[in-house]
């Protein structure tokens, strides 16, 4: 395996780690299965690509993230104020986003960014590792910010919401507000990841978000299987490590000759296997 | 302090399942009163609590707390000045968070949008408060609440419910799920805290002895109505037998042994 392949896998792993951290907030912290992810990832891609073509790659990341947060806000409002089940609320937003994403991309199913300056090209003086260094830097900053945030009072209220809803309902925490906040934050991170992904691949596709929820879930489950600590800092590291391992497995599978069209099937199988393994482990634990 | 004016609660109104859970309830609780509430299942005790705390909105009537109309105030907003404790010890705490994180939440009093972590000074205050529980929890701030026993969790929930000094404390059979020894310990603790802070408290109990031992007044409920509010003078001379007699004569239910189950035999 050549160095370029490894670095390439780590770069993608880093990008998807940002998305997985978003999913960690909705799936683990808030305990809400959020399917908006597939749509908000593409939304991030689309916004970032359009702004990059217009010469604003950095703005592309920022606006992409904000758009993702708005998507999360919509899902949050649907599930709290209109009392639609969170799973369905996510699917509704995701479906709606499909059309919106195409509108953002000016009705073309894909946009190529070749030849346009991206966040990576403007820092190319760092050499072959530019992409890798930049992605890792963004990832570290996000991890540190998240780790701090989840220990603040607001973060505690958010975590309590996913941990014991009955308690939160009887407390002075506005559970609806927390859910909306958490879903916005989660989808903001997912869209940011999509925005970086588009510039990294120099390509945005209206289908690129398909299966992202499963990838994020796989990263979380794999990571938590390896790092079994309850502390927030360890959990965040677990998610990042999980995303890297997941990418590693996919890269090896591709090198071994798996057609890239089978990747999604492999992703789904990986999640199933990981879930079964954790279940078996838990059962053994109980017997002991 | 707390004034309930002609409050009625009807569930499933207009259907065959229609049930009058509270029927024209009028009551006034004074500042600093500790009132125990007794009554059989379905008497409306819990509905009364839910109406006061905002989990159920009354079909008619008004609720005042410190002369402020709170009838239509949202539940989470009322929780800033109404502390609550439930029968289930798992209800009051977040299991995968630590003791200090749980306590920090209850110290917030509704001001959650703060991007600050717990300070050293607040940690010190928590330790002081935990010492009063006498459960050696003050050295275990970093322990996950999920590993504590039911009694420890309920004691911690009690501390959390009273940490921000609420104006009103509602205890809904909060010791019913604990073993007798732990239950009496938690009740003693409750009494200490309520007395120390002179908190206005309402406590639902099925135990006649506890109803007599704690608090200054006893409220008897039946069929969504308050039948009697026994004052301090009268309560002093009351025995368990006297209370049961009073209860059965007022509710016209003479099968008290079934109704009051083992509590009466105690």
């Amino acid at each position: 395996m050549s160095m370029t392949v490894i670095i390439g896998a780590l770069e993608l792993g880093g990008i998807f780690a940002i998305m997985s951290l978003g999913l960690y907030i909705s799936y683990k912290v808030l305990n809400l299965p959020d399917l908006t992810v597939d749509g908000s990832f593409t939304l991030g891609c689309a916004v970032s690509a359009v702004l990059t073509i217009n010469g604003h790659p950095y703005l592309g990341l920022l606006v992409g993230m904000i758009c993702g947060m708005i998507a999360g806000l919509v899902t949050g409002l649907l599930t709290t104020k209109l009392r639609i089940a969170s799973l369905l609320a996510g699917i509704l937003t995701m479906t709606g986003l499909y059309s919106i994403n195409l509108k953002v991309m000016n009705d073309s199913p894909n946009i190529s960014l070749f030849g346009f300056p991206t966040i990576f090209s403007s820092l190319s003086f760092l050499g072959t590792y530019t992409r890798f260094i930049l992605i890792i830097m963004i990832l570290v900053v996000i991890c540190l910010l998240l780790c701090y945030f989840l220990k603040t009072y607001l973060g505690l209220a958010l975590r309590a919401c996913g941990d014991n809803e009955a308690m939160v309902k009887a407390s002075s925490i506005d559970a609806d507000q927390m859910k909306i906040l958490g879903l916005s934050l989660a989808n903001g991170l997912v869209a940011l990841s999509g925005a970086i992904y588009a510039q990294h691949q120099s390509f945005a596709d209206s289908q690129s978000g398909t299966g992202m929820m499963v990838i994020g879930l796989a990263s979380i489950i794999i990571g938590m299987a390896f790092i079994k600590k309850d502390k927030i800092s360890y959990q965040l590291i677990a998610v990042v490590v999980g995303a890297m391992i997941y990418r590693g497995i996919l890269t090896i599978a591709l090198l071994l000759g798996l057609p890239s069209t089978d990747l999604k099937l492999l992703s789904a199988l990986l999640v199933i296997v990981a879930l079964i393994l954790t279940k078996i482990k838990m059962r053994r634990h109980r017997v002991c | 302090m707390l004034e309930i004016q002609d409050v009625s609660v009807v569930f499933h109104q207009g259907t065959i399942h229609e049930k009058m859970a509270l029927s024209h309830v009028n009551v006034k609780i004074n500042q600093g009163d500790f009132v125990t509430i007794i009554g059989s299942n379905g008497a409306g005790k819990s509905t009364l609590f839910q109406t006061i705390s905002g989990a159920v909105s009354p079909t008619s009537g008004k609720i005042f707390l410190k002369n402020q109309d709170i009838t239509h105030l949202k539940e989470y907003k009322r929780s800033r000045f109404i502390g609550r404790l439930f029968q289930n010890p798992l209800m009051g705490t977040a299991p995968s968070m630590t003791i200090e994180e749980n306590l920090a939440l209850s110290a917030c009093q509704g001001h959650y949008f703060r991007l600050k972590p717990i300070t050293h000074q607040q940690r010190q205050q928590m330790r002081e408060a935990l010492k009063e529980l006498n459960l050696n929890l003050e050295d275990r701030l970093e322990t996950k609440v999920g590993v504590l026993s039911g009694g420890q969790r309920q004691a911690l929930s009690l501390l959390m419910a009273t940490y921000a000094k609420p104006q009103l404390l509602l205890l809904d059979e909060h010791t019913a799920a604990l073993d007798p020894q732990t239950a009496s310990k938690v009740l003693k603790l409750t009494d200490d805290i309520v007395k120390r802070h002179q908190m206005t408290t309402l406590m639902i109990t099925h135990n006649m002895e506890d109803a007599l031992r704690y608090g200054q007044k006893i409220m008897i409920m039946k069929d969504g109505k308050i039948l009697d509010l026994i004052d301090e003078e009268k309560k002093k001379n009351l025995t368990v037998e006297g209370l049961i007699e009073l209860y059965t004569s007022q509710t016209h239910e003479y099968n008290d042994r079934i109704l009051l189950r083992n509590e009466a035999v105690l």
Side-chain angles (χ1 to χ4, degrees), chain A residues 117-164:
Chain A
T118 63
I119 53 164
F120 300 107
S121 59
S122 54
L123 290 171
S124 55
F125 56 87
L126 288 169
T128 20
Y129 295 119
T130 314
R131 292 160 165 246
F132 180 64
I133 293 169
L134 190 57
I135 289 168
I136 296 301
M137 268 167 41
I138 296 174
L139 187 59
V140 168
V141 169
I142 289 173
C143 278
L144 290 176
L145 283 176
L146 261 187
C147 191
Y148 179 83
F149 170 73
L150 288 173
K151 284 177 184 164
T152 62
Y153 281 93
L154 187 55
L156 290 181
L158 197 71
R159 283 163 56 198
C161 219
D163 201 22
N164 189 349

Side-chain angles (χ1 to χ4, degrees), chain A residues 21-94:
Chain A
L21 286 170
L23 218 68
Y24 168 77
I25 295 178
S26 52
Y27 181 72
K28 275 281 168 186
V29 174
L30 273 181
N31 204 8
L32 275 179
D34 176 28
L35 284 172
T36 322
V37 172
D38 286 16
S40 52
F41 186 85
T42 317
L43 181 64
C45 280
V47 171
S48 162
V50 169
L51 279 168
T52 304
I53 284 181
N54 288 304
H56 303 293
Y58 287 99
L59 200 63
L61 298 196
L62 184 71
V63 178
M65 184 170 165
I66 292 171
C67 288
M69 290 176 88
I70 295 170
L73 182 84
V74 171
T75 306
L77 288 174
L78 286 179
T79 184
T80 55
K81 301 295 171 200
L82 298 181
R83 305 268 157 229
I84 297 173
S86 62
L87 217 53
L88 182 59
I91 292 173
L92 289 173
T93 315
M94 179 186 75

Side-chain angles (χ1 to χ4, degrees), chain A residues 81 148-161 163-164 166-175 177-178 181 230-232, chain B residues 75-76 79-80 84 86 90-97 101-102 104-105 108-110 112-118 122 142 144 153 160:
Chain A
K81 301 295 171 200
Y148 179 83
F149 170 73
L150 288 173
K151 284 177 184 164
T152 62
Y153 281 93
L154 187 55
L156 290 181
L158 197 71
R159 283 163 56 198
C161 219
D163 201 22
N164 189 349
M167 162 201 170
V168 169
K169 280 218 170 109
S171 77
S172 49
I173 304 171
D174 184 353
Q177 224 171 30
M178 289 301 146
L181 176 85
D230 289 334
K231 280 211 165 130
I232 292 295
Chain B
E75 186 180 5
Y76 74 91
S79 296
R80 287 177 200 173
R84 265 190 287 173
F86 303 95
L90 308 183
M91 282 258 309
T93 46
S96 68
M97 291 166 71
E101 287 170 338
N102 269 284
L105 279 177
C108 269
Q109 274 186 301
Y112 289 104
F113 280 89
R114 284 191 300 177
L115 290 173
K116 270 192 199 159
I118 303 164
Q122 283 158 333
E142 303 272 333
K144 294 243 144 87
R153 272 183 87 161
M160 285 170 65

Side-chain angles (χ1 to χ4, degrees), chain A residues 208-230:
Chain A
S208 47
T210 314
M212 279 304 145
M213 155 98 185
V214 175
I215 294 180
L217 217 55
S219 306
I220 294 172
I221 296 167
I222 294 171
M224 304 252 164
F226 281 97
I227 300 175
K228 295 187 191 88
K229 290 265 171 85
D230 289 334

